[in-house]
Coordinates of all heavy atoms in Angstrom, one line a residue:
L70 N 43.1 -14.3 -25.7 CA 42.7 -14.8 -27.0 C 42.1 -13.7 -27.8 O 42.4 -13.5 -29.0 CB 41.8 -16.0 -26.9 CG 41.8 -17.0 -27.9 CD1 43.2 -17.6 -28.0 CD2 40.9 -18.1 -27.6
T71 N 41.1 -12.9 -27.2 CA 40.5 -11.8 -27.9 C 41.5 -10.7 -28.2 O 41.3 -10.1 -29.2 CB 39.3 -11.3 -27.1 OG1 39.7 -10.9 -25.8 CG2 38.1 -12.3 -27.0
G72 N 42.5 -10.5 -27.4 CA 43.5 -9.5 -27.7 C 44.3 -9.9 -28.9 O 44.6 -9.1 -29.7
V73 N 44.7 -11.2 -29.0 CA 45.4 -11.7 -30.1 C 44.6 -11.6 -31.4 O 45.1 -11.1 -32.4 CB 45.9 -13.1 -29.9 CG1 46.4 -13.8 -31.2 CG2 47.0 -13.2 -28.8
V74 N 43.3 -12.0 -31.3 CA 42.5 -11.9 -32.5 C 42.3 -10.4 -32.9 O 42.4 -10.1 -34.1 CB 41.1 -12.5 -32.2 CG1 40.1 -12.2 -33.3 CG2 41.2 -14.0 -32.0
A75 N 42.2 -9.5 -32.0 CA 42.0 -8.1 -32.3 C 43.3 -7.6 -33.0 O 43.3 -6.8 -34.0 CB 41.7 -7.3 -31.1
S76 N 44.5 -8.0 -32.5 CA 45.8 -7.6 -33.1 C 45.9 -8.1 -34.5 O 46.3 -7.3 -35.4 CB 46.9 -8.0 -32.2 OG 46.9 -7.5 -30.9
V77 N 45.6 -9.4 -34.7 CA 45.7 -10.0 -36.0 C 44.8 -9.3 -37.0 O 45.1 -9.0 -38.1 CB 45.5 -11.5 -36.0 CG1 45.3 -12.1 -37.3 CG2 46.7 -12.2 -35.2
S78 N 43.6 -9.0 -36.5 CA 42.5 -8.4 -37.3 C 43.0 -7.0 -37.7 O 42.9 -6.6 -38.9 CB 41.3 -8.2 -36.5 OG 40.2 -8.5 -37.2
A79 N 43.6 -6.2 -36.8 CA 44.1 -4.9 -37.1 C 45.2 -4.9 -38.1 O 45.3 -4.1 -39.1 CB 44.5 -4.1 -35.9
A80 N 46.1 -5.9 -38.0 CA 47.3 -6.0 -38.9 C 46.8 -6.4 -40.3 O 47.3 -5.9 -41.3 CB 48.3 -7.1 -38.4
T81 N 45.8 -7.3 -40.3 CA 45.2 -7.7 -41.6 C 44.6 -6.5 -42.3 O 44.7 -6.4 -43.5 CB 44.2 -8.8 -41.4 OG1 44.8 -9.9 -40.7 CG2 43.6 -9.3 -42.7
A82 N 43.8 -5.7 -41.6 CA 43.2 -4.5 -42.2 C 44.2 -3.5 -42.7 O 44.0 -3.0 -43.8 CB 42.3 -3.8 -41.1
Q83 N 45.3 -3.3 -42.0 CA 46.4 -2.4 -42.4 C 47.0 -3.0 -43.7 O 47.3 -2.2 -44.6 CB 47.4 -2.2 -41.3 CG 46.9 -1.3 -40.2 CD 48.0 -1.2 -39.1 OE1 48.9 -2.0 -39.0 NE2 47.9 -0.2 -38.3
L84 N 47.3 -4.3 -43.7 CA 47.9 -4.9 -44.9 C 47.0 -4.8 -46.1 O 47.4 -4.4 -47.2 CB 48.2 -6.3 -44.6 CG 49.0 -7.1 -45.7 CD1 50.3 -6.5 -45.9 CD2 49.1 -8.6 -45.3
G85 N 45.7 -5.0 -45.9 CA 44.7 -4.9 -47.0 C 44.7 -3.4 -47.5 O 44.6 -3.2 -48.7
A86 N 44.7 -2.5 -46.6 CA 44.7 -1.1 -47.0 C 45.9 -0.7 -47.8 O 45.9 0.0 -48.8 CB 44.5 -0.1 -45.8
A87 N 47.1 -1.2 -47.4 CA 48.3 -0.9 -48.1 C 48.3 -1.6 -49.5 O 48.8 -1.0 -50.4 CB 49.5 -1.4 -47.3
W88 N 47.7 -2.8 -49.5 CA 47.7 -3.5 -50.8 C 46.8 -2.7 -51.8 O 47.1 -2.7 -53.0 CB 47.2 -4.9 -50.6 CG 47.2 -5.8 -51.8 CD1 46.2 -6.0 -52.6 CD2 48.4 -6.5 -52.3 NE1 46.7 -6.9 -53.6 CE2 48.0 -7.2 -53.4 CE3 49.7 -6.6 -51.8 CZ2 48.8 -7.9 -54.1 CZ3 50.5 -7.4 -52.5 CH2 50.1 -8.1 -53.7
R89 N 45.7 -2.1 -51.4 CA 44.8 -1.4 -52.2 C 45.3 0.0 -52.6 O 44.7 0.6 -53.5 CB 43.4 -1.4 -51.6 CG 42.7 -2.7 -51.6 CD 41.3 -2.5 -51.1 NE 41.2 -2.0 -49.7 CZ 41.2 -2.7 -48.6 NH1 41.4 -4.0 -48.7 NH2 41.1 -2.1 -47.4
T90 N 46.2 0.5 -51.9 CA 46.7 1.9 -52.2 C 47.4 1.9 -53.6 O 48.2 1.0 -53.9 CB 47.8 2.3 -51.2 OG1 47.2 2.2 -49.9 CG2 48.3 3.7 -51.5
P91 N 46.9 2.8 -54.5 CA 47.5 2.8 -55.8 C 49.0 3.1 -55.8 O 49.4 3.9 -55.0 CB 46.7 3.9 -56.5 CG 46.2 4.7 -55.4 CD 46.0 3.9 -54.2
R92 N 49.7 2.5 -56.7 CA 51.1 2.9 -56.9 C 51.2 4.1 -57.7 O 50.6 4.2 -58.8 CB 51.8 1.7 -57.6 CG 51.9 0.5 -56.7 CD 52.9 -0.5 -57.1 NE 54.2 0.1 -57.1 CZ 55.3 -0.5 -57.4 NH1 55.2 -1.8 -57.7 NH2 56.4 0.1 -57.3
L93 N 52.0 5.1 -57.2 CA 52.1 6.4 -57.9 C 53.2 6.3 -58.9 O 54.2 5.6 -58.7 CB 52.4 7.4 -56.8 CG 51.4 7.7 -55.8 CD1 51.9 8.7 -54.7 CD2 50.1 8.2 -56.4
P94 N 53.0 7.1 -60.0 CA 54.1 7.1 -61.0 C 55.3 7.9 -60.4 O 55.2 8.7 -59.5 CB 53.5 7.9 -62.2 CG 52.3 8.6 -61.6 CD 51.9 7.8 -60.4
R95 N 56.5 7.6 -60.9 CA 57.7 8.1 -60.4 C 58.0 9.5 -61.0 O 57.8 9.7 -62.2 CB 58.9 7.2 -60.6 CG 58.8 5.9 -59.8 CD 59.8 4.9 -60.1 NE 60.9 5.3 -60.8 CZ 62.2 4.9 -60.6 NH1 62.4 4.1 -59.6 NH2 63.2 5.3 -61.3
F96 N 58.5 10.4 -60.2 CA 59.0 11.7 -60.6 C 60.5 11.7 -60.3 O 60.9 11.9 -59.2 CB 58.3 12.8 -59.8 CG 58.7 14.2 -60.2 CD1 58.1 14.8 -61.3 CD2 59.6 14.9 -59.5 CE1 58.5 16.1 -61.7 CE2 60.0 16.2 -59.8 CZ 59.4 16.8 -60.9
V97 N 61.3 11.4 -61.3 CA 62.7 11.2 -61.1 C 63.4 12.5 -61.1 O 63.3 13.3 -62.1 CB 63.3 10.3 -62.2 CG1 64.8 10.1 -62.0 CG2 62.6 8.9 -62.3
L98 N 64.2 12.8 -60.0 CA 65.0 14.0 -60.0 C 66.1 13.9 -61.0 O 66.7 12.9 -61.1 CB 65.6 14.2 -58.6 CG 64.5 14.5 -57.5 CD1 65.2 14.5 -56.1 CD2 63.8 15.8 -57.7
P99 N 66.4 15.0 -61.7 CA 67.4 14.9 -62.7 C 68.8 14.9 -62.1 O 69.0 15.3 -60.9 CB 67.2 16.2 -63.5 CG 66.4 17.1 -62.7 CD 65.7 16.3 -61.7
P100 N 69.8 14.5 -62.8 CA 71.2 14.7 -62.3 C 71.5 16.1 -62.2 O 70.6 17.0 -62.3 CB 72.1 13.9 -63.4 CG 71.2 13.7 -64.5 CD 69.8 13.9 -64.1
A101 N 72.7 16.5 -62.0 CA 73.1 17.9 -61.7 C 72.6 18.9 -62.8 O 72.3 20.0 -62.4 CB 74.7 18.0 -61.6
E102 N 72.6 18.5 -64.0 CA 72.1 19.5 -65.0 C 70.8 19.0 -65.6 O 70.6 17.8 -65.7 CB 73.1 19.5 -66.2 CG 74.5 20.1 -65.8 CD 74.4 21.6 -65.5 OE1 73.6 22.3 -66.1 OE2 75.1 22.0 -64.6
P103 N 69.9 19.8 -65.9 CA 69.8 21.2 -65.8 C 69.5 21.7 -64.4 O 69.1 20.9 -63.6 CB 68.6 21.6 -66.7 CG 67.7 20.4 -66.7 CD 68.6 19.2 -66.5
T104 N 69.7 22.9 -64.1 CA 69.6 23.4 -62.7 C 68.2 24.0 -62.5 O 67.8 24.3 -61.4 CB 70.6 24.5 -62.4 OG1 70.5 25.5 -63.4 CG2 72.0 23.9 -62.4
R105 N 67.4 24.2 -63.6 CA 66.0 24.8 -63.5 C 65.1 24.0 -64.4 O 65.4 23.9 -65.6 CB 66.1 26.2 -63.8 CG 64.8 27.0 -63.7 CD 65.0 28.5 -64.0 NE 63.8 29.2 -63.9 CZ 63.1 29.5 -65.0 NH1 63.5 29.3 -66.2 NH2 61.9 30.2 -64.8
I106 N 64.0 23.5 -63.9 CA 63.0 22.8 -64.7 C 61.6 23.4 -64.5 O 61.1 23.5 -63.4 CB 63.0 21.3 -64.3 CG1 64.4 20.7 -64.6 CG2 61.9 20.5 -65.0 CD1 64.5 19.3 -64.0
L107 N 61.0 23.8 -65.6 CA 59.6 24.3 -65.5 C 58.6 23.1 -65.7 O 58.8 22.2 -66.5 CB 59.3 25.3 -66.6 CG 59.9 26.7 -66.4 CD1 59.7 27.6 -67.6 CD2 59.3 27.3 -65.2
I108 N 57.5 23.1 -64.9 CA 56.6 22.0 -64.9 C 55.2 22.7 -65.2 O 54.8 23.6 -64.6 CB 56.5 21.3 -63.6 CG1 57.9 20.7 -63.2 CG2 55.4 20.2 -63.6 CD1 58.0 20.4 -61.8
G109 N 54.5 22.1 -66.2 CA 53.2 22.7 -66.6 C 52.6 22.1 -67.8 O 53.2 21.1 -68.4
R110 N 51.5 22.7 -68.3 CA 50.9 22.2 -69.6 C 51.4 22.8 -70.8 O 51.3 22.3 -71.9 CB 49.4 22.5 -69.5 CG 48.5 21.4 -69.0 CD 47.0 21.7 -69.2 NE 46.6 22.8 -69.9 CZ 46.0 23.9 -69.3 NH1 45.7 23.9 -68.1 NH2 45.6 24.9 -70.1
A111 N 52.1 24.0 -70.7 CA 52.6 24.7 -71.9 C 53.7 23.9 -72.6 O 54.5 23.2 -72.0 CB 53.2 26.0 -71.5
P112 N 53.7 23.9 -73.9 CA 54.7 23.1 -74.7 C 56.1 23.6 -74.4 O 57.1 22.8 -74.6 CB 54.4 23.5 -76.2 CG 53.0 24.0 -76.2 CD 52.8 24.6 -74.8
G113 N 56.4 24.8 -73.9 CA 57.7 25.2 -73.6 C 58.3 24.7 -72.2 O 59.4 25.0 -71.9
C114 N 57.4 24.0 -71.5 CA 57.9 23.5 -70.2 C 58.8 22.3 -70.4 O 58.7 21.5 -71.4 CB 56.7 23.0 -69.3 SG 55.7 24.4 -68.7
H115 N 59.7 22.1 -69.5 CA 60.6 20.9 -69.5 C 59.9 19.6 -69.2 O 60.2 18.5 -69.7 CB 61.8 21.1 -68.6 CG 62.6 22.3 -68.9 ND1 62.4 23.5 -68.1 CD2 63.5 22.5 -69.8 CE1 63.3 24.4 -68.6 NE2 63.9 23.9 -69.6
F116 N 58.9 19.7 -68.2 CA 58.1 18.5 -67.8 C 56.7 18.9 -68.1 O 56.0 19.6 -67.4 CB 58.4 18.2 -66.3 CG 57.8 17.0 -65.8 CD1 58.1 15.7 -66.3 CD2 56.8 17.0 -64.8 CE1 57.6 14.6 -65.8 CE2 56.2 15.8 -64.3 CZ 56.6 14.6 -64.9
V117 N 56.2 18.4 -69.3 CA 54.8 18.7 -69.7 C 53.8 17.7 -69.2 O 54.0 16.5 -69.4 CB 54.7 18.8 -71.3 CG1 53.4 19.1 -71.7 CG2 55.8 19.8 -71.8
L118 N 52.8 18.2 -68.5 CA 51.7 17.4 -68.0 C 50.4 17.9 -68.7 O 50.1 19.0 -68.8 CB 51.5 17.6 -66.5 CG 52.7 17.2 -65.7 CD1 52.6 17.7 -64.2 CD2 52.9 15.7 -65.7
T119 N 49.6 16.9 -69.3 CA 48.5 17.3 -70.1 C 47.2 17.4 -69.4 O 46.2 17.7 -69.9 CB 48.3 16.3 -71.3 OG1 48.2 15.0 -70.7 CG2 49.5 16.3 -72.2
D120 N 47.2 17.1 -68.1 CA 46.0 17.2 -67.3 C 45.5 18.6 -67.2 O 46.3 19.5 -67.0 CB 46.2 16.6 -65.9 CG 45.0 16.4 -65.1 OD1 44.5 17.4 -64.5 OD2 44.5 15.2 -65.1
L121 N 44.1 18.8 -67.3 CA 43.6 20.2 -67.3 C 43.6 20.8 -65.9 O 43.5 22.1 -65.8 CB 42.1 20.1 -67.8 CG 42.0 19.8 -69.3 CD1 40.5 19.7 -69.6 CD2 42.7 20.8 -70.1
T122 N 43.9 20.1 -64.8 CA 44.0 20.7 -63.5 C 45.4 21.3 -63.3 O 45.7 21.9 -62.3 CB 43.7 19.7 -62.4 OG1 44.6 18.6 -62.5 CG2 42.3 19.1 -62.5
V123 N 46.3 21.0 -64.3 CA 47.7 21.6 -64.2 C 47.7 22.9 -65.0 O 47.2 23.0 -66.1 CB 48.7 20.6 -64.8 CG1 50.1 21.2 -64.8 CG2 48.7 19.3 -64.0
S124 N 48.2 23.9 -64.4 CA 48.3 25.2 -65.1 C 49.4 25.2 -66.2 O 50.2 24.3 -66.2 CB 48.7 26.3 -64.0 OG 47.7 26.5 -63.1
R125 N 49.3 26.2 -67.1 CA 50.3 26.2 -68.2 C 51.7 26.3 -67.6 O 52.6 25.6 -68.1 CB 50.0 27.4 -69.1 CG 48.7 27.3 -69.8 CD 48.5 28.3 -70.8 NE 49.8 28.7 -71.3 CZ 50.1 29.6 -72.1 NH1 49.2 30.4 -72.6 NH2 51.3 29.9 -72.6
F126 N 52.0 27.2 -66.7 CA 53.3 27.2 -66.0 C 53.0 27.0 -64.5 O 52.6 27.9 -63.8 CB 54.0 28.6 -66.3 CG 54.4 28.7 -67.7 CD1 53.6 29.5 -68.5 CD2 55.5 28.1 -68.2 CE1 53.9 29.7 -69.9 CE2 55.8 28.3 -69.5 CZ 55.0 29.1 -70.4
H127 N 53.0 25.8 -64.1 CA 52.5 25.4 -62.8 C 53.5 25.5 -61.7 O 53.2 26.1 -60.6 CB 52.0 23.9 -62.9 CG 51.1 23.5 -61.8 ND1 49.8 23.5 -61.9 CD2 51.4 23.1 -60.5 CE1 49.2 23.1 -60.8 NE2 50.2 22.8 -59.9

Side-chain angles (χ1 to χ4, degrees):
L70 213 57
T71 54
V73 167
V74 169
S76 297
V77 169
S78 225
T81 304
Q83 287 176 339
L84 185 63
W88 187 262
R89 287 188 299 274
T90 301
R92 294 198 60 177
L93 297 174
R95 292 173 15 139
F96 182 81
V97 180
L98 293 173
E102 295 295 324
T104 58
R105 182 174 179 260
I106 298 171
L107 284 175
I108 302 162
R110 265 192 4 249
C114 290
H115 301 99
F116 188 63
V117 178
L118 299 169
T119 58
D120 190 277
L121 293 177
T122 60
V123 176
S124 296
R125 291 186 37 184
F126 296 98
H127 196 97

